[in-house]
Each structure stands twice: as C-alpha cells, then as structure tokens.
C-alpha cells in the first residue's frame, strides 16, 4: 500500500514497484488507507508519507500501533522532517526514505521490507514459544529488573531495520546484545558479521568495511568484498565505533544514507541491504562534544539507543551468573562442584566487578581450574580486600606501608615482587594490561599509549584470552 497525497509521486512509486513485480494500491489520505486496510488488510508492506492532508503520519502510527504489527511500514519524509522519521523508527517502522526517492532505492527498501516481514512472521511465532517457555533473548543470563528491561528493548527493536547504538562498560555483553537482536529479528537466517573498529589499523579499516579491488593499494592481491557486503540480508555489528577516524565516519554516513558501498579502487556503487548495530564503551555524546565523533553520524546511528547495565547495577544476577559459570567450567574441566555457599555468594555480590561479567567469568574459571571440588571455599575466588570492594581501580594492590621502611624504589619493587609471586609471566602481563585498560576508562587505544604498544596488540591479546577463557 502506498499512502501519498501527491498524485505524481504516488503514481511514480507505483510504477517502479509494479515494474519490480509488486501490486500497488494507492491511498491519498490516512482515512482512505484505514478504510482500505479494513476491507482488505492483506498487504505485504506499506509506504507511508508523514505529511498527509487529513492526519499526521507519525500520529497515525502512535494512534494505530496495530498497523506496525500487521506489516512492515516504510515512512517517506523530506529532509526538513528527518527527526520525525527517526521518531517513526523508534515506534517500530521498518525503515525510512528521504525525498526525493530514487526508483532503485525505493524498490530495494520495499523488497527488503516484504522479505523480512515474511521472515519476521516466522520469528514472531518462535519468539512466542520462547516467551511461553520463559526463555531470554540470545545467550543472556540474569533475571534482574534491569536485564528484563534490556530483554524488552531487544524484543521491541528486533523487528525493525532501525540502527541500534549499544552502550555500556567493557565486559557488559555488547556483542551478545547485538547477536540477540539479530537472532530475534527476521534477518536471523542471514549472516551476522562483527567488525572491531579499534582492532584494525586506520588505513585498512575502509577496505575491511567496504572491500577493495585488486591493485588498489599495496597488498591488495585480489578483489575482495568488505564486511558490509558479507552481511547482505543480515546484520553488521560495528564494535568500538568511537575508535573510527573522522574521514571514514563520513563514508560510513554516506553508506547509511544511500544503502550502497563503493569498494576501494572502484568507481561503481553496489546496493547492500544490512541492519546496523554498533557499540561503544565510551559516552558517545561526550565524543561528539569533543569533536572526535560526527554529530550527524551519531544521530543516524542512535535511532534506537540501548544501554547495558554494569554488573554492579544488576541486582541479584551475580549469584545466577556465578552458578552458570561454575557448572559450565566444571563440565569443561571434568569436575563436579556443589552449589556455592551463602556466604560466598554474599561476598561475590558485594564486590563491584569493574570488569563486569567478563571479570566474574574469569574469577570463576580460575576457581574451577585451581580446585578439585566438590566444595569451593570462599577463598577460591580471588577478589580485592573489603576496603577495595566499593570501587576497585587496579588489578595490582597498593604497596603496603611498613613502619621504619622508606617508601623508595627498592621498597615498591619488593612489594610488587611479593604481589606477583607465583604467577606466570603471561598472568603478570594480563594483570598489567587489564589494569591499564581499567585506568583508561575502558579505552584500549589510551591503554596502549600508556603501555607503549599498539592498540592492535591489546585487541589480539584480549581475543586470545577470550578464547582461552
């Protein structure tokens, strides 16, 4: 259904869509559209102009939310009312088009809406079964009110093509959230492609995203598609998006606006249909204010902002997560462990977990490796002392003051040697790196500068640790 009051536009839209094999029905007012739907509501998708003579398209979506459940809705808007299109996406619209709309772009978006709307009907049925069974989206663990709200938001945004901007501290599960959004959407049968914008050198990131042609730069030994084309009909996850250099942000913005990519070394544009989910552990609004992130790109990406709470804010989830990891790692180690004692769970719950779920996972993993079971004493979980529980800031303890001993280099060296006694060189390196990352507020590039290494070195090490964990 095409809901457009300008005859020349509605006829042009219908001509493009009918040429592509669709049957188009035109309504020139909101009332006419509702009357047609009441008589024959079996439409695969709707193209809705937001400026209608008898009603406001955005208000129509607010007043009639059942329309968004009937079929995917693509809204059309002028540049001046782009913010209203973003509001429509937040209500659940599939996508939006900015006038003037080209024929190929119209057909591409409507085709995607129809295909994904059909797939979403299947996903909705599966999601209903999952909800009846009490399942959570993706592989999330936790039933706290804070996480129930996250699950609700994932369910709401999954059906749309709206870009989602996930924020949260390091270790809160931002990629897990992106995977859950993909798995709950009509795109779940398509690919999920993740790319870490901070782990790839700036001069290679454009090629990784958009591809290149043979000979376009040194080392380009053949034609290669990028992550955007690899994720066609699926979801592209851009992690650490705030690490992207400003020149490439301009190209990413154009990709989002046009739905096309241009490989490095090519003068030809190619259509791509992907859903974008991005993430950062920084405050994106602060990055915009300080000129490190484009404001127009931020508002284009943050159509649906989704914040993941830190583990210390997820009241009651620590016990469930600890039990899950204890069972999982126990089975991996071929051991059987009894449920954790109440005092142990209370101690774990009091700790502030600056490394969030990832830190809890590592603490439990170390306990299962170092103890035979079946009982695990509270001392099996190595945490900072009580004075550090409220806000631990470093993985290394502060040097202890001793009466009559000067606080000089030799004393500090002795304290550090004592602190790391019994650890392997790899464990010491990991403590130093994780401490530097915490001190840098979760920013790997800043931590890399402090340690005198490249950011890619830290990303490689963390990826290796994640596999080992």
């Amino acid at each position: 259904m095409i809901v457009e009051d300008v005859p020349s536009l509605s006829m042009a839209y219908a001509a493009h869509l009918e040429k592509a094999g669709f049957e188009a029905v035109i309504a020139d007012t909101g009332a006419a559209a509702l009357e047609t739907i009441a008589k024959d509501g079996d439409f695969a998708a709707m193209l809705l102009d937001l400026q209608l003579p008898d009603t406001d398209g955005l208000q129509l979506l607010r007043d009639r939310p059942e329309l968004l459940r009937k079929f995917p809705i693509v809204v059309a808007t002028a540049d001046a009312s782009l913010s209203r299109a973003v509001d429509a996406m937040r209500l659940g619209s599939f996508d939006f088009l900015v006038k003037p709309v080209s024929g190929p772009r119209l057909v591409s978006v409507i085709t995607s809406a129809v295909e994904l709307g059909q797939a979403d009907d299947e996903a909705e049925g599966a999601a209903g079964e999952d909800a009846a069974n009490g399942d959570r989206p993706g592989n999330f663990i936790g039933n706290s009110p804070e996480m129930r709200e996250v699950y609700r938001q994932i369910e709401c945004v999954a059906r749309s093509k709206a870009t989602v901007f996930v924020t949260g501290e390091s270790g809160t599960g931002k990629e897990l959230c992106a995977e859950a959004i993909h798995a709950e959407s009509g795109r779940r049968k398509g690919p999920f492609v993740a790319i870490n914008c901070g782990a790839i050198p700036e001069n290679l990131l454009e090629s990784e995203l958009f591809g290149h042609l043979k000979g376009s730069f040194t080392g380009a030994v053949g034609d290669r598609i990028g992550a955007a084309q690899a994720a066609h009909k699926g979801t592209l996850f851009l992690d650490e998006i705030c690490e992207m250099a400003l020149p490439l942000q301009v190209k990413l913005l154009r990709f989002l606006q046009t739905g096309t990519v241009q490989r490095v070394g090519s003068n030809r544009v190619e259509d791509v249909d992907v859903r974008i989910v991005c993430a950062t552990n920084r405050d994106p609004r602060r990055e915009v204010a300080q000129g490190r992130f484009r404001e127009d790109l931020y508002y284009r990406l943050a159509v649906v902002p989704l914040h993941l709470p830190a583990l210390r804010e997820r009241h009651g989830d620590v016990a469930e997560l600890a039990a899950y990891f204890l069972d999982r790692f126990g089975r991996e180690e071929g051991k059987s462990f009894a449920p954790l004692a109440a005092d142990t769970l209370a101690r774990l719950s009091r700790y502030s977990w600056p490394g969030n779920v990832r830190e809890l996972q590592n603490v439990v993993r170390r306990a299962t490796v170092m103890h035979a079971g079946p009982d695990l004493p509270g001392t099996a979980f190595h945490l900072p002392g009580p004075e550090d529980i409220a806000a631990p800031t470093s993985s290394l303890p502060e040097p202890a003051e001793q009466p009559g001993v000067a606080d000089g280099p030799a004393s500090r060296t002795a304290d550090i040697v004592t602190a790391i006694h019994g650890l392997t060189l790899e464990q010491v390196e990991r403590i130093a790196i994780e401490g530097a990352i915490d001190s840098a507020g979760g920013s790997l590039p800043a931590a890399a500068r402090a340690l005198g290494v490249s950011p890619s070195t830290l990303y490689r090490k963390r990826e290796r640790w994640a596999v080992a964990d």
Side-chain angles (χ1 to χ4, degrees):
M1 168 172 280
I2 299 170
V3 187
E4 168 63 62
D5 64 312
V6 180
S8 59
L9 289 179
S10 60
M11 294 300 292
Y13 295 157
H16 287 301
L17 292 171
E18 287 172 353
K19 186 177 180 181
F22 293 101
E23 179 183 350
V25 174
I26 297 173
D28 57 3
T29 65
L34 294 175
E35 183 180 349
T36 303
I37 292 170
K39 292 179 180 177
D40 181 12
D42 191 21
F43 292 99
M46 173 190 282
L47 177 64
L48 174 65
D49 183 32
L50 291 183
Q51 298 288 349
L52 296 171
D54 64 335
T55 187
D56 178 86
L58 191 58
Q59 191 59 46
L60 180 66
L61 296 179
R62 291 194 184 104
D63 294 341
R64 303 295 296 269
E66 68 274 13
L67 295 178
L68 293 160
R69 294 191 291 269
K70 280 181 175 291
F71 36 66
I73 296 178
V74 177
V75 299
T77 182
D79 282 316
S81 57
L82 189 58
S83 62
R84 285 162 41 75
V86 171
D87 289 339
M89 294 287 282
R90 289 174 177 161
L91 287 172
S93 297
F94 173 77
D95 204 348
F96 68 85
L97 296 168
V98 178
K99 297 178 180 179
V101 182
S102 70
R105 176 69 171 153
L106 171 68
V107 170
S108 174
V109 170
I110 295 297
T111 299
S112 297
V114 171
E115 291 176 351
L116 293 174
Q118 292 169 345
D120 190 59
D121 289 339
E122 302 173 9
E124 200 169 279
E129 294 176 7
D130 289 344
N133 295 328
D135 290 348
R136 301 152 186 162
N139 294 312
F140 277 111
I141 302 295
N143 200 41
S144 64
E146 294 80 11
M147 289 308 295
R148 298 307 305 177
E149 174 60 19
V150 170
Y151 305 154
R152 185 194 68 79
Q153 292 181 48
I154 289 174
E155 182 182 355
C156 289
V157 305
R159 188 174 189 268
S160 170
K161 191 187 174 184
T163 54
V164 181
F165 206 133
V166 185
T167 56
E169 295 178 8
S170 180
T172 50
K174 293 185 288 295
E175 184 165 353
L176 199 65
C177 179
E179 291 173 345
I181 291 171
H182 174 74
E184 295 291 310
S185 75
R187 294 173 175 263
R188 70 192 190 284
K189 293 182 180 178
F192 176 86
V193 178
I195 186 167
N196 192 313
C197 299
I200 301 169
E202 180 181 332
N203 60 330
L204 295 179
L205 185 54
E206 181 180 0
S207 170
E208 289 294 321
L209 275 175
F210 304 129
H212 62 256
L213 297 186
K214 179 180 179 180
S216 55
F217 56 86
T218 302
V221 296
D223 293 351
R224 182 175 181 273
I225 66 169
Q229 287 180 292
H232 184 62
K233 298 294 184 183
T235 302
L236 175 62
F237 176 54
L238 301 177
D239 199 6
E240 303 295 349
I241 186 71
C242 287
E243 307 292 345
M244 182 179 289
L246 286 168
L248 188 53
Q249 291 179 28
V250 178
K251 297 181 180 180
L252 177 61
L253 180 62
R254 176 171 175 76
F255 163 60
L256 293 170
Q257 291 173 334
T258 64
T260 62
V261 298
Q262 186 172 348
R263 300 193 208 183
V264 176
S266 173
N267 57 7
R268 185 168 67 93
V269 296
E270 302 170 73
D271 290 331
V272 178
D273 173 23
V274 297
R275 201 265 181 87
I276 302 292
V277 179
C278 61
T280 183
N281 57 16
R282 299 187 185 184
D283 180 347
R285 289 167 295 188
R286 181 181 299 172
E287 297 298 302
V288 169
Q290 296 180 355
R292 292 190 292 264
F293 201 78
R294 290 181 62 98
E295 184 175 23
D296 50 1
L297 178 58
Y298 168 68
Y299 286 114
R300 188 62 177 81
L301 289 171
V303 173
V304 179
L306 199 161
H307 182 72
L308 294 182
L311 184 54
R312 62 184 173 274
E313 300 167 349
R314 297 171 53 178
H315 305 293
D317 282 350
V318 171
E320 185 177 355
L321 284 161
Y324 168 78
F325 289 133
L326 184 65
D327 177 68
R328 170 185 161 188
F329 296 138
R331 284 186 281 105
E332 288 181 7
E333 296 294 328
K335 303 174 182 178
S336 178
F337 293 97
L340 297 177
D343 59 339
T344 299
L345 289 175
R347 180 169 178 257
L348 294 177
S349 297
R350 286 195 303 269
Y351 180 54
S352 64
W353 300 108
N356 292 294
V357 178
R358 185 183 294 123
E359 183 183 6
L360 174 60
Q361 174 180 310
N362 291 341
V363 166
V364 177
R365 179 63 179 267
R366 285 195 292 270
T368 60
V369 170
M370 301 302 295
H371 293 78
D375 295 316
L376 280 179
T379 54
F381 301 95
H382 298 290
L383 303 174
E387 69 278 5
D388 296 321
I389 283 178
T393 57
S394 173
S395 297
L396 284 176
E398 291 292 328
E401 293 186 8
Q402 298 180 20
V405 179
D407 188 20
S411 173
R412 288 193 295 272
T413 300
D415 287 330
I416 293 173
V417 170
T418 300
I420 64 175
H421 178 70
L423 300 179
T424 66
L425 180 59
E426 184 175 3
Q427 289 171 322
V428 174
E429 179 187 56
R430 181 166 182 173
I431 289 172
I433 289 174
E434 291 181 341
I437 293 171
D438 288 341
S439 298
S443 170
L444 265 69
R449 287 193 295 271
L451 293 170
V453 298
S454 69
S456 59
T457 298
L458 300 192
Y459 280 109
R460 284 196 301 271
K461 289 183 179 296
R462 291 188 79 183
E463 288 173 358
R464 187 174 71 245
W465 295 336
V467 171
D469 289 338

